[in-house]
Each structure stands twice: as structure tokens, then as C-alpha cells.
Amino acid sequence: MFTTWNNEKIFYLKGLFLRGALPLNVMVTNLQAFGLSQNEIIKFLLLDDPDKKLPLLISFFTLGFPAGLITEFLKPMGLSQEDIIKLLQPTGFPKEKIEAFSKLVL
């Protein structure tokens, strides 16, 4: 159960993350310390902007979040493996990570 103080801390942490002042891995570590599950963390940080959603999901994937959990968030996007690869190539993620990530849509 969150206290009001914890909710306020999470609010400010998310603001730092959204402004790019807090790396994802640090944000995830803090949210886990507050007791959020991986599913809750993805829901909390997943952005509405489709251009930012996919890179954020691959970041969760590279942090070791379960593939099955990430797949749940990929399915509603309706992207094929080829679409994912095309969209992620210019992001700078290593090619092997992008290919492994794109296989989640099977």
C-alpha cells in the first residue's frame, strides 16, 4: 500500500523521467523499491505517443522484463515483425536486440 508521501515521490520521479533527467533503469529500480510489479511499472511508464512506446518497450526488454509481459503490450499495437524492425532501426538499439525483440510478436 502506498502512502501519500510515496505517491508524491513517484510523481516527481516520473516527471524527472519524462524530462529525460532520470534514466529508465534508475526509474525502474526506484519503482521496484516502492513495491510496483513489472506489469505496473510498464503501465505506469508507457507513453501514449506511439513513436515513443515501442522504444520504451524494447528498453524494458533489454532490462530483462519477461518477454510474455512485453508481448501483452505489443499485441494491441498490431505491428508485424517487419514493422517493428523498420521503426526501431533508426533508434540506435543493437540490431540483434531489435531482431530478438521483434520475434515477440509471433
Side-chain angles (χ1 to χ4, degrees):
M1 181 86 184
F2 289 105
T3 64
T4 302
W5 177 237
N6 284 346
N7 284 336
E8 189 173 336
K9 284 188 224 178
I10 289 172
F11 170 79
Y12 287 113
L13 284 172
K14 186 173 184 181
L16 289 170
F17 171 73
L18 292 174
R19 287 190 295 282
L22 192 64
L24 179 64
N25 62 332
V26 174
M27 185 67 186
V28 168
T29 300
N30 280 289
L31 292 175
Q32 287 172 331
F34 284 113
L36 272 74
S37 69
Q38 289 178 329
N39 188 33
E40 292 169 324
I41 291 170
I42 291 175
K43 285 180 182 176
F44 183 68
L45 294 178
L46 206 57
L47 307 170
D48 292 331
D49 183 350
D51 293 337
K52 295 180 181 176
K53 190 178 284 190
L54 202 55
L56 190 55
L57 284 172
I58 196 173
S59 295
F60 287 123
F61 180 68
T62 59
L63 287 175
F65 279 53
L69 179 60
I70 293 169
T71 304
E72 289 178 35
F73 293 93
L74 279 174
K75 284 181 183 175
M77 295 173 74
L79 298 171
S80 68
Q81 283 181 305
E82 296 79 25
D83 293 335
I84 291 171
I85 290 170
K86 265 192 256 180
L87 287 169
L88 289 174
Q89 277 178 339
T91 60
F93 284 105
K95 184 179 178 179
E96 62 276 359
K97 291 281 186 189
I98 293 172
E99 288 173 357
F101 181 76
S102 72
K103 290 179 182 171
L104 296 178
V105 298
L106 290 177

